[in-house]
Amino acid sequence: MLPSHSNFGGKVHGGYILNLMDQIAFACASKHSQRYCVTASVNRVDFLNPIEVGELVTLKASINYTGRTSMVVGVRVESENITTGKTTHCNSSYFTMVAKDESGKSIPIPGLIIKDKQGMRRFARSKERKLSANDRDSKYKSEKFKVNDFIQYLEGENIKMDLD
């Protein structure tokens, strides 16, 4: 990582790492589908450890889940201190990518071939994450939301309620 990649704190800027992650997710999804792919969503971005200027960064990607036209790409970021050889896990995220045809319409993709326990674990985890997101989105739809059903969620929080 170069000084031009750093933020005001002297570490590599998180936005730069996200850009690299999106590129590796695109490459992985495009290779699997043999199609142009776009990013539909990014699930849970946690910056676990900072990356120092001068460290080498390795990004690893795998297809963890396939739907009809979309796939979940797991991306892992590791940094390596070139003088000590110490590697550090810096970030893991999940990108949902969608394959597109020449006119920009979503197109079916090949299914995933699961070869080991790790592949099964990744697939199951991605499926559960997808179901949880759908449940959460349905639960909080504006037209269904009732304040009284969730008022206990606000107790003890750092807020002041001024509901009209």
Side-chain angles (χ1 to χ4, degrees), residues 113-164:
I113 299 170
I114 296 175
K115 296 182 179 181
D116 56 20
K117 184 178 172 182
Q118 183 81 312
M120 173 84 86
R121 182 187 66 80
R122 288 176 175 159
F123 189 93
R125 184 175 184 193
S126 292
K127 175 78 176 189
E128 185 172 329
R129 189 180 301 106
K130 180 180 177 182
L131 293 171
S132 294
N134 288 340
D135 290 347
R136 184 177 53 252
D137 291 348
S138 297
K139 183 177 180 178
Y140 292 98
K141 280 192 185 258
S142 180
E143 59 273 5
K144 290 178 161 183
F145 187 81
K146 294 183 177 104
V147 172
N148 290 336
D149 292 345
F150 297 92
I151 199 82
Q152 75 276 8
Y153 287 19
L154 308 178
E155 293 172 12
E157 296 297 329
N158 186 20
I159 61 167
K160 178 182 175 186
M161 289 195 295
D162 187 12
L163 303 175
D164 294 327

Side-chain angles (χ1 to χ4, degrees), residues 4-32:
S4 61
H5 302 136
S6 66
N7 59 24
F8 291 112
K11 310 295 183 194
V12 174
H13 194 278
Y16 182 73
I17 297 302
L18 282 173
N19 180 41
L20 293 176
M21 293 172 75
D22 191 47
Q23 289 178 51
I24 196 76
F26 165 79
C28 185
S30 294
K31 184 173 181 182
H32 176 79

